[in-house]
Amino acid sequence: MTAAARLDSITRRFGHVTALDTVDFELAPGEIHGLLGENGAGKTTLANILGGLLVADAGGVEIGGRAVDLRSARDARALGVAMVHQHFSLVPRFTGFENVALFNGEAWTRRGTATRGYRSQVEARARELKLAVELDAPVAELGVGERQRIEILKALMSDTRVLLLDEPTAVLAPQEVDGLFAVLREVAGAGTAIVLVAHKLDEVLAVADRVTVLRRGRHVLTEAAAGLTARELAKAMVGRGLAAAGARGAGWAAGSEGEPPSARAAADAGGRAGQSEADADPVAVLDDVTVGSGEAPALRDVSLTVHRGEILGIAGVDGNGQRALAAVLAGMVRPDTGTANLSEEAGWIPQDRSDEGLVKDFTIVENVALALHGNASHRRGPWLDWAGIADRSAALVDEMDVLAGSPDARAGTLSGGNQQKVVTGRELLRAGELLVAESPTRGLDVQATRAVRARIVELARTGDRPPGVVLISTDLDEVLELADRIAVMVRGRLIPVPPEDCDATAIGALMLSAGSTGDGGHGGGGNDAGHGGGRAGREHTT
Amino acid sequence: MTDLAALSSFVVAAVGLAVPLGLAALGETVSQRSGVINIGLEGSVIWGALGGALGALAVGPYWGLATGVLAGGLAALVFAGFAVRLGTDQIITGTAVTIGSLGFTGAVFQSRFGATGLALELQTVPAWEVPLLSRIPLLGPAFFDQAVTAYLAYAMVPLLGWFLFRTRWGLALRAAGESPEAAHAAGVPVVRTRMLAAVFGGAMAGLAGAHLSLVHTGTFAENMSAGKGFIAIAVVVLGRWRPWGVFAAALFFGGAEALQFTLQALDADLPYPLFLALPYVLSLAALAGWFGRSRAPEGLALPWPR
């Protein structure tokens, strides 16, 4: 059978970095092909070359058995190659239908005007692919999962030979991931080849027919997924065995007085009464905090206490108030009602590191200085101790394994992952009392993820007066791995999870219980997902 | 009887004043929908007025309307060349174009006609009375005994509504204004779309300017645009970026301006400059969102590519 697409010893350089080095890649019709690799391994570059966004320096591209010269995404689309990006390319205020129509302009051109016919075509296609989509609401009002389905529908309106998906599961709740995979199987079953760029190994193994691993721009392996284990894949990606000891084990050992975490979690989940010891040293207390007003405030009646040396994990589907919670804890937003007692020495790893975390035109040293300028040990009267800050920055670059020419490199010249490492390292430095971390490992590769997680655990477990950590993450595995106790954010409410329910299934169900984002992925429309919020909310009222 | 006559002359004046505002504001609506806020609109209006006057002198009043459109469009092309093609700050560029245009048109006018202050007399574009419709009491004479510019403004309202919300070019244009990234990803040529939209906006403002010199006054005077371009931007805000809303908002602003004439004629015991100021106060109120939550295109004034 002719390959759906074939890349033949592709090389692509950026400056003097070789992102792809004579890589071969072949895609069979109707297969789901997982593409794995660490940050900078070249997987997105490879997908972009196939999607027409980048042109290879050397090597050939074949689509459907024909050698082609892809110069733009438009060229690729004309040949039946569609791409769904990690950051969706939807117009937020347009409805789902308008977005589908915009992307497929040529499909309904005849006289330039929209016809009813096209609308029914879109609906028919959605039914065919078993995609539950909301076509009439502005996509800004939809949840991430719903937006992703519109993104997929939009890409699949015309004949699609190859569908490229860049990290599609990064933003989804576990149940939504299952829904997405069901859709992908449907699409692949109809003959479209799918490239799934991913970083979660077990997800890839669950859905992919074949897996290709890249490492530092080179092809490492391509094999049937059935014969592979997550461990083998991780080894292939990293090129060396992973250390056996998990961050969690080390963390508990250093925990306060060796108290088992479940006991502490139980005490807290049962209400705020009766925690004599832990209550003695809270570093952040929110009491009935509400932010925003009207039907859907960003936060409603949120109460929480963060103690020294604990990691409080906040799970939840993106867009359920996590950002507002982080902003309140970081002192960026004042509650509209309720009180917030916060410590001054708080570190904040924002979700949008490149925009909220760093000044891109500043060097790494200057960015570090920004965070430390109020710190007594880095002041010399009205002046800054630049030499000391430069040393700290150099140490940070070293510890976090930031790929930068030097600490004097401008932050804007670093890759996204490396910017993230700089922000994380810097905020760990200044989190004297409290660290608020919003998805601190999103987009990081395996090594960097492990490093960041280990540093967070280390921060909360060592020293006489360790800070408290609030870990807000949409990655449930991360929360389960690191947190001492867990709460879930649903539609602006914070619901504590009883320790006996601390497993992925139970928490996943809770995340979607009153989901503002809905989950129509299992067919049958997404309208019935909005119930149960009252029940969940009452449980929290103490 | 005098009351009715006063009301009638008020409505006529309101519509007459609304026409240039409406023309410029409808053009600016298209421009802003594509993500370009053209503060240089005032410049296009004054160039349109001068271009119209010169064209009318050379060839005749109807040709004057065409040269006005051309002059306004060219001023917007200069603006868009910097603000869209080169990505300079839209607000600063637009302000520069406006101030520069007021100066240049004055200079051209003086070099051509001298600085004597003698009034220039132009042959004006005549009004066309629409049979039947013009006999509707009160509104008929106001709306349907107007020059061709007014009928063009009326026609533009449904036409632009259809274009913006029913055609794929309108969809692409709005996408460029809402989210240039997403528009680009969907294959929309964002820069070209924005250039065209801005030039269209300038051409409409040029027609508004030509209306001022060739319909409204029959002369050209320095600074005769008198802030119409700026008010048109407020009209767009008040009209919430929709052609019908903008049309209604233009009538509202025209009415506010007409009030001063009517009240003067009625010898009301009020200082009439108050009503000269009223439209500007309303502009501020509209910009501050006092007339409902305004939803500007999200990509408005954001350069592309970033």
Side-chain angles (χ1 to χ4, degrees):
Chain A
M1 199 173 354
T2 346
R6 190 201 307 274
L7 298 180
D8 189 21
S9 52
I10 291 287
T11 296
R12 167 75 206 209
R13 291 181 199 89
F14 295 102
H16 33 254
V17 178
T18 305
L20 287 177
D21 189 359
T22 55
V23 169
D24 296 325
F25 183 73
E26 190 184 287
L27 198 56
E31 77 164 334
I32 300 179
H33 199 130
L35 185 54
L36 283 167
E38 293 196 286
N39 281 349
K43 51 192 195 300
T44 301
T45 307
L46 191 150
N48 282 342
I49 285 174
L50 200 46
L53 297 175
L54 289 172
V55 179
D57 295 324
V61 180
E62 262 178 44
I63 289 173
R66 215 152 48 85
V68 293
D69 183 21
L70 301 176
R71 296 270 143 194
S72 69
R74 196 167 250 209
D75 291 354
R77 190 137 44 94
L79 291 161
V81 179
M83 194 159 180
V84 173
H85 296 273
Q86 197 174 355
H87 302 287
F88 301 149
S89 44
L90 296 173
V91 180
R93 282 214 211 131
F94 279 14
T95 64
F97 176 68
E98 282 179 314
N99 270 293
V100 172
L102 175 71
F103 192 76
N104 291 283
E106 291 81 8
W108 46 288
T109 78
R110 211 137 303 156
R111 285 183 309 283
T113 46
T115 55
R116 290 229 170 112
Y118 191 65
R119 170 70 191 225
S120 50
Q121 242 172 289
V122 172
E123 283 168 2
R125 189 81 174 118
R127 270 197 304 278
E128 208 176 294
L129 298 168
K130 299 198 173 69
L131 274 169
V133 288
E134 166 62 60
L135 290 174
D136 294 315
V139 296
E141 290 172 12
L142 302 180
V144 183
E146 287 176 295
R147 269 183 268 169
Q148 189 172 58
R149 290 196 287 275
I150 287 181
E151 192 67 68
I152 291 171
L153 176 62
K154 155 188 132 170
L156 294 179
M157 275 311 292
S158 48
D159 277 345
T160 305
R161 207 189 306 255
V162 177
L163 178 64
L164 305 163
L165 296 149
D166 193 4
E167 303 263 3
T169 61
V171 290
L172 300 181
Q175 279 84 343
E176 286 180 313
V177 170
D178 295 343
L180 170 70
F181 286 174
V183 167
L184 295 188
R185 287 194 192 96
E186 198 74 34
V187 172
T192 299
I194 295 175
V195 178
L196 185 69
V197 179
H199 67 281
K200 288 189 190 166
L201 308 178
D202 34 350
E203 282 179 4
V204 170
L205 287 173
V207 73
D209 300 312
R210 287 200 295 165
V211 179
T212 289
V213 175
L214 299 178
R215 185 171 69 231
R216 291 177 185 262
R218 287 176 169 276
H219 177 266
V220 178
L221 67 80
T222 298
E223 273 177 43
L228 289 165
T229 64
R231 193 162 194 87
E232 285 165 345
L233 282 179
K235 200 169 167 186
M237 285 165 69
V238 180
R240 54 190 177 268
L242 294 163
R248 185 175 192 166
W252 297 135
S256 55
E257 298 161 29
E259 185 187 12
S262 54
R264 240 183 335 154
D268 249 301
R272 274 171 285 131
Q275 304 161 29
S276 52
E277 190 190 337
D279 254 353
D281 210 2
V283 290
V285 180
L286 301 188
D287 202 18
D288 276 340
V289 164
T290 294
V291 171
S293 57
E295 285 290 292
L299 289 182
R300 37 180 129 188
D301 305 330
V302 168
S303 299
L304 68 81
T305 305
V306 187
H307 306 110
R308 249 180 218 299
E310 78 163 344
I311 299 177
L312 170 61
I314 312 274
V317 177
D318 226 359
N320 274 284
Q322 293 98 323
R323 306 225 66 196
L325 179 65
V328 168
L329 286 170
M332 307 272 293
V333 165
R334 233 175 308 183
D336 290 324
T337 62
T339 53
N341 281 313
L342 304 166
S343 58
E344 292 281 301
E345 285 176 59
W348 178 37
I349 304 173
Q351 187 177 28
D352 187 349
R353 286 114 196 147
S354 55
D355 281 341
E356 291 177 359
L358 291 171
V359 181
K360 286 187 194 157
D361 281 342
F362 278 16
T363 64
I364 294 176
V365 176
E366 285 170 324
N367 271 296
V368 171
L370 265 186
L372 296 180
H373 74 274
N375 188 321
S377 59
H378 293 286
R379 267 192 317 224
R380 296 283 177 276
W383 289 278
L384 282 173
D385 170 22
W386 281 106
I389 292 171
D391 286 349
R392 286 255 44 147
S393 306
L396 184 157
V397 165
D398 198 42
E399 278 166 33
M400 300 298 299
D401 198 19
V402 178
L403 286 179
S406 81
D408 291 321
R410 286 189 194 288
T413 63
L414 305 180
S415 74
N418 283 309
Q419 290 183 2
Q420 204 162 324
K421 291 181 192 174
V422 171
V423 175
T424 305
R426 181 188 78 183
E427 296 303 311
L428 289 170
L429 283 180
R430 73 174 181 151
E433 300 279 316
L434 177 68
L435 175 70
V436 182
E438 283 185 82
S439 296
T441 60
R442 179 186 284 183
L444 288 187
D445 59 42
V446 176
Q447 292 274 318
T449 297
R450 292 178 63 82
V452 167
R453 288 180 183 171
R455 288 299 307 274
I456 289 174
V457 171
E458 187 189 329
L459 181 79
R461 305 288 182 239
T462 49
D464 291 340
R465 296 172 58 80
V469 175
V470 179
L471 171 71
I472 300 172
S473 179
T474 51
D475 181 348
L476 189 48
D477 295 336
E478 177 166 270
V479 174
L480 284 168
E481 183 186 326
L482 300 181
D484 299 327
R485 58 193 175 101
I486 296 175
V488 175
M489 288 228 69
V490 183
R491 299 183 122 187
R493 292 185 192 279
L494 192 66
I495 306 165
V497 179
E500 64 270 19
D501 278 354
C502 279
D503 62 78
T505 323
I507 295 178
L510 205 51
M511 282 160 71
L512 293 168
S513 62
S516 61
T517 57
D519 174 38
H522 308 291
N527 292 337
D528 52 355
H531 302 299
R535 180 183 50 78
R538 271 195 302 282
E539 267 173 19
H540 170 58
T541 317
T542 48
Chain B
M1 189 60 219
T2 38
D3 282 359
L4 189 61
L7 184 61
S8 171
S9 70
F10 164 72
V11 176
V12 169
V15 175
L17 290 163
V19 166
L21 286 179
L23 286 168
L26 286 168
E28 177 74 4
T29 302
V30 172
S31 177
Q32 291 201 12
R33 278 282 184 178
S34 82
V36 180
I37 182 162
N38 185 358
I39 300 284
L41 206 63
E42 180 81 2
S44 283
V45 174
I46 195 70
W47 275 114
L50 180 65
L54 296 177
L57 281 177
V59 215
Y62 283 103
W63 282 101
L65 293 181
T67 50
V69 166
L70 197 67
L74 281 174
L77 184 63
V78 171
F79 164 79
F82 282 95
V84 178
R85 177 74 65 189
L86 302 178
T88 59
D89 185 279
Q90 292 184 9
I91 306 296
I92 296 171
T93 309
T95 308
V97 166
T98 287
I99 296 172
S101 298
L102 291 172
F104 272 120
T105 49
V108 170
F109 179 68
Q110 287 194 9
S111 70
R112 176 83 158 71
F113 302 103
T116 55
L118 278 178
L120 177 69
E121 272 195 42
L122 297 169
Q123 194 191 344
T124 56
V125 176
W128 290 342
E129 202 179 327
V130 181
L132 295 177
L133 287 177
S134 62
R135 281 195 240 145
I136 300 170
L138 202 60
L139 300 180
F143 282 95
F144 298 108
D145 188 8
Q146 292 275 2
V148 62
T149 43
Y151 303 124
L152 277 172
Y154 307 158
M156 275 296 171
V157 177
L159 201 65
L160 289 180
W162 172 79
F163 172 79
L164 284 174
F165 299 102
R166 291 281 174 274
T167 70
R168 76 180 171 99
W169 304 293
L171 189 71
L173 186 145
R174 289 188 291 126
E178 289 289 345
S179 167
E181 298 85 357
H184 175 75
V188 175
V190 174
V191 170
R192 200 196 310 159
T193 303
R194 287 182 160 189
M195 290 287 287
L196 286 172
V199 169
F200 172 79
M204 290 288 285
L207 186 60
H211 172 94
L212 291 180
S213 58
L214 297 179
V215 179
H216 200 65
T217 61
T219 186
F220 177 85
E222 289 173 45
N223 300 336
M224 75 181 292
S225 51
K228 292 252 177 337
F230 289 114
I231 300 175
I233 291 168
V235 168
V236 174
V237 176
L238 184 60
R240 309 230 203 150
W241 293 270
R242 290 178 176 275
W244 283 104
V246 167
F247 182 68
L251 286 173
F252 180 65
F253 272 77
E257 221 181 324
L259 254 186
Q260 54 148 324
F261 298 120
T262 311
L263 289 169
Q264 275 182 71
L266 286 178
D267 251 347
D269 195 16
L270 279 166
Y272 73 88
L274 196 63
F275 293 92
L276 274 178
L278 187 61
Y280 296 90
V281 176
L282 288 175
S283 303
L284 281 177
L287 282 169
W290 291 2
F291 304 116
R293 201 162 52 108
S294 301
R295 300 260 286 167
E298 272 182 355
L300 189 61
L302 296 181
W304 174 264
R306 285 184 216 282

